[in-house]
Amino acid sequence: MSNSPTKIELTQPDDWHLHIRDGEVMKDVLADTARQFARAIIMPNLKPPVTTVDLAKAYQSRIESNLKLLGVTEFMPLMTLYLTDNTSADEVRKAKDAGIAAFKLYPAGATTNSDAGVSDLKHCHAALEAMQAVGMPLLVHGEVTHADIDIFDREAVFIDTILEPLRKKLPELKIVFEHITTKQAAHYVRDAVTGGKNTIAATITPQHLLMNRNAIFAGGIRPHNYCLPVLKREEHRVALLQAATSGNSRFFLGTDSAPHAKGAKEAACGCAGCYSAFNALGLYAEAFESVGKLDKLEGFASFFGPDFYSLPRNSKKITLVKHAQSIPMELPLGDATIVPLRAGETIAWSLV
Ligand code: NCD
Ligand code: ZN
């Protein structure tokens, strides 16, 4: 590949961290993802959360109905369950047998719809042991929630107080540190000693590769750039971009595209979440191109995720071209609208 290609062909990517919500808005957001990705890990933070295999199966069939309405035949949702203080080891084994892809740990109160999350990991020991035993990945929202910890420090404190002790206790548990936002997280995952086993990985969002925390306050408050974990300082963005483009298979694509209606974002207490699904691949291509590493995009976007989850890589190819795409100010979201990431601006790359 030349240093500045205008066209790149990739094995079709998957999105390893995605929110598509439920009800009438789902169809609109699913369409954007299914245009680009073959599969996606579907987050379970609905209201009420997806805590059992039966609830996940019902959610999956609602997703399949929407795919049918959209005329999409080739997209595969990978279902997850929401870990609670009461998740039993039996539910974990049942989930494994039912083809559930992973469990998600939300520390109670950490983010959107996390009130039913885990209050203390000590309540989950039997479930976590069962996950380790059956090879069920645990996806973690890596932030502590104590009000006395500064919001910009919550991820780094989580590593020392929760993640490292958990990995010591259950060294064979497969963990994905989701949507990492700090140098500390990138280095922790890079340097973790696993004895050659595939036990730790991290997903990285496009917004954390492209923006630092100034983007939340550029000329005034910018609610559409507010997500959790919140954007950090430039040195952290640089470390994340270095990790994503390093070719290290522990880092892979997870957009964390998290749709909220325009009115719920532009409010006195606006919701956390960036809607990146509209042209997520264009955003990632832009980030990789910014450091001359477009040749590393395919591993990050298309290979390392399925390898970690022990799933086959996709065989279909897609093409991205360096053709600026204008991003609309708003998109339909059921009866409401949503403001996509980079609304009113352009993204340099688009899918053919
Ligand atoms: C997500 C959401 O809205 O569901 N929000 C976000 O800011 N990322 C939840 C999450 O992944 O933290
Ligand atoms: Zn998320």
Side-chain angles (χ1 to χ4, degrees):
M1 193 181 288
S2 81
N3 278 338
S4 50
T6 54
K7 188 172 166 175
I8 38 179
E9 190 177 83
L10 301 178
T11 299
Q12 189 174 21
D14 304 301
D15 186 347
W16 300 96
H17 184 125
L18 178 69
H19 301 267
I20 55 170
R21 315 303 188 203
D22 206 352
E24 56 166 21
V25 304
M26 191 209 291
K27 185 156 76 60
D28 294 327
V29 293
L30 196 49
D32 284 337
T33 290
R35 240 188 296 119
Q36 299 164 77
F37 298 98
R39 296 171 287 199
I41 285 277
I42 306 296
M43 285 293 137
N45 62 331
L46 302 182
K47 260 184 193 167
V50 181
T51 51
T52 65
V53 172
D54 293 345
L55 287 169
K57 288 283 155 194
Y59 187 26
Q60 184 174 355
S61 65
R62 297 195 295 280
I63 296 170
E64 279 158 5
S65 309
N66 278 294
L67 290 169
K68 222 174 249 155
L69 288 174
L70 290 165
V72 173
T73 52
E74 291 194 315
F75 180 80
M76 187 191 285
L78 301 170
M79 306 308 294
T80 62
L81 294 191
Y82 185 112
L83 186 69
T84 73
D85 287 349
N86 303 313
T87 304
S88 66
D90 269 351
E91 197 66 32
V92 173
R93 289 186 282 266
K94 191 175 164 192
K96 182 70 183 177
D97 293 341
I100 298 295
F103 275 70
K104 177 73 190 274
L105 162 65
Y106 289 102
T111 188
T112 307
N113 298 346
S114 63
D115 294 347
V118 172
S119 69
D120 190 322
L121 265 187
K122 68 174 187 251
H123 302 303
C124 301
H125 195 68
L128 294 170
E129 260 186 338
M131 279 178 220
Q132 174 172 260
V134 302
M136 173 68 78
L138 177 71
L139 317 183
V140 302
H141 182 109
E143 289 190 288
V144 293
T145 53
H146 329 295
D148 55 337
I149 309 282
D150 190 280
I151 189 167
F152 293 101
D153 297 334
R154 287 179 188 173
E155 185 173 278
V157 174
F158 179 89
I159 297 170
D160 296 338
T161 61
I162 314 275
L163 186 56
E164 177 60 13
L166 173 63
R167 291 189 57 247
K168 281 227 172 80
K169 208 178 273 175
L170 297 168
E172 312 244 307
L173 179 64
K174 283 172 84 93
I175 295 176
V176 183
F177 196 166
E178 297 287 339
H179 44 51
I180 58 170
T181 65
T182 57
K183 181 171 67 179
Q184 288 91 331
H187 292 178
Y188 180 81
V189 171
R190 181 194 67 190
D191 299 336
V193 176
T194 62
K197 296 204 167 107
N198 241 350
T199 50
I200 188 140
T203 53
I204 310 182
T205 77
Q207 66 267 25
H208 292 100
L209 294 176
L210 289 166
M211 296 189 284
N212 64 37
R213 64 191 194 178
N214 289 341
I216 310 169
F217 308 105
I221 193 119
R222 301 281 184 165
H224 301 291
N225 292 339
Y226 170 59
C227 66
L228 287 171
V230 72
L231 296 172
K232 305 294 193 299
R233 283 177 182 277
E234 177 65 4
E235 63 175 305
H236 298 290
R237 186 191 74 82
V238 168
L240 296 169
L241 191 54
Q242 207 287 324
T245 61
S246 66
N248 183 332
S249 62
R250 290 183 182 177
F251 299 99
F252 49 82
L253 186 157
T255 62
D256 192 25
S257 180
H260 292 279
K262 182 175 193 246
K265 295 281 297 172
E266 298 176 6
C269 186
C271 294
C274 296
Y275 187 63
S276 60
F278 185 69
N279 182 7
L281 288 178
L283 291 166
Y284 280 112
E286 203 179 282
F288 277 62
E289 185 184 37
S290 73
V291 284
K293 292 284 179 66
L294 276 171
D295 59 321
K296 295 287 196 278
L297 182 59
E298 187 175 39
F300 176 82
S302 314
F303 296 159
F304 305 152
D307 295 354
F308 184 84
Y309 279 86
S310 306
L311 291 168
R313 294 177 179 182
N314 296 315
S315 47
K316 204 175 139 187
K317 302 280 181 195
I318 58 142
T319 304
L320 293 172
V321 286
K322 194 157 186 190
H323 178 85
Q325 182 182 21
S326 303
I327 306 303
M329 291 302 290
E330 289 177 31
L331 298 165
L333 184 75
D335 288 341
T337 63
I338 187 165
V339 177
L341 202 64
R342 292 278 274 280
E345 298 174 40
T346 59
I347 295 177
W349 290 84
S350 39
L351 189 66
V352 172

